[in-house]
């Protein structure tokens, strides 16, 4: 089981999404940004580290909003999603550092995104909550 944390960042009514980097499992498909939890690391520390490494920005993790366990043919993931806000809203300019793409998506269009399967249930949840 792989433990993963992801940040749900919403600004100006849109969610921040990232594509899986080239050469990675499910490359090109979309997800909420985050990554693997290191040994002895809290989910909050994982999110701060991963978002800084992948997008070059600082966030403040909030509460856990969704959890899912998903079995891919080649691996199983335990994925926890946390709300997050930028540390500096006025200077929040994420830039992809791993060859991935980023985009901001309105909640009503989340069903048009080519999601990684493990993130789709959260997208459905967020669309219902709007």
């Amino acid at each position: 089981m792989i433990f993963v944390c992801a940040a749900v960042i919403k600004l100006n009514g849109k969610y921040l999404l990232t594509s899986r980097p080239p050469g990675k499992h499910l490359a090109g498909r979309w997800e909420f940004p985050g990554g693997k939890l290191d040994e002895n690391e809290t989910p909050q520390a994982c999110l701060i580290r991963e978002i800084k490494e992948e997008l070059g920005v600082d966030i403040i993790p909030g509460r856990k909003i969704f959890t899912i366990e998903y079995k891919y043919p080649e691996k199983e993931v335990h994925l926890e999603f946390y709300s997050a806000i930028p540390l500096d809203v006025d200077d929040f300019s994420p830039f992809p550092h791993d060859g991935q793409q980023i985009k901001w998506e309105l909640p009503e269009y989340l069903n048009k995104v080519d999601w990684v399967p493990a993130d789709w249930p959260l997208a459905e949840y967020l669309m219902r909550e709007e």
Side-chain angles (χ1 to χ4, degrees):
M1 177 83 67
I2 300 169
F3 289 84
V4 177
C5 296
V8 180
I9 302 167
K10 187 176 182 184
L11 281 178
N12 302 317
K14 295 180 180 180
Y15 291 103
L16 177 63
L17 310 180
T18 57
S19 66
R20 297 284 299 156
K24 299 275 185 166
H25 178 248
L26 299 171
R29 295 187 70 183
W30 293 91
E31 64 185 353
F32 291 94
K36 293 178 191 169
L37 188 68
D38 287 343
E39 189 174 338
N40 298 320
E41 185 176 44
T42 66
Q44 292 77 13
C46 173
L47 287 172
I48 291 168
R49 175 183 55 77
E50 286 284 349
I51 300 305
K52 184 69 170 181
E53 289 174 1
E54 292 180 9
L55 300 174
V57 290
D58 295 307
I59 61 162
I60 302 169
R63 66 180 180 86
K64 183 174 16 174
I65 58 173
F66 202 82
T67 302
I68 187 170
E69 290 188 356
Y70 193 87
K71 286 186 180 186
Y72 290 102
E74 60 282 349
K75 62 182 170 183
E76 187 172 351
V77 295
H78 174 92
L79 184 52
E80 294 182 354
F81 297 91
Y82 290 81
S83 63
I85 59 171
L87 182 63
D88 183 354
V89 175
D90 295 327
D91 188 30
F92 189 73
S93 300
F95 181 81
H97 290 203
D98 293 335
Q100 76 276 42
Q101 296 178 328
I102 63 170
K103 69 177 176 177
W104 293 91
E105 193 65 74
L106 289 166
E108 58 265 29
Y109 295 114
L110 293 176
N111 62 340
K112 306 288 186 207
V113 173
D114 185 18
W115 292 100
V116 297
D119 283 41
W120 171 239
L122 173 64
E124 286 184 306
Y125 170 79
L126 293 173
M127 286 186 299
R128 285 193 307 270
E129 293 297 304
E130 288 295 323

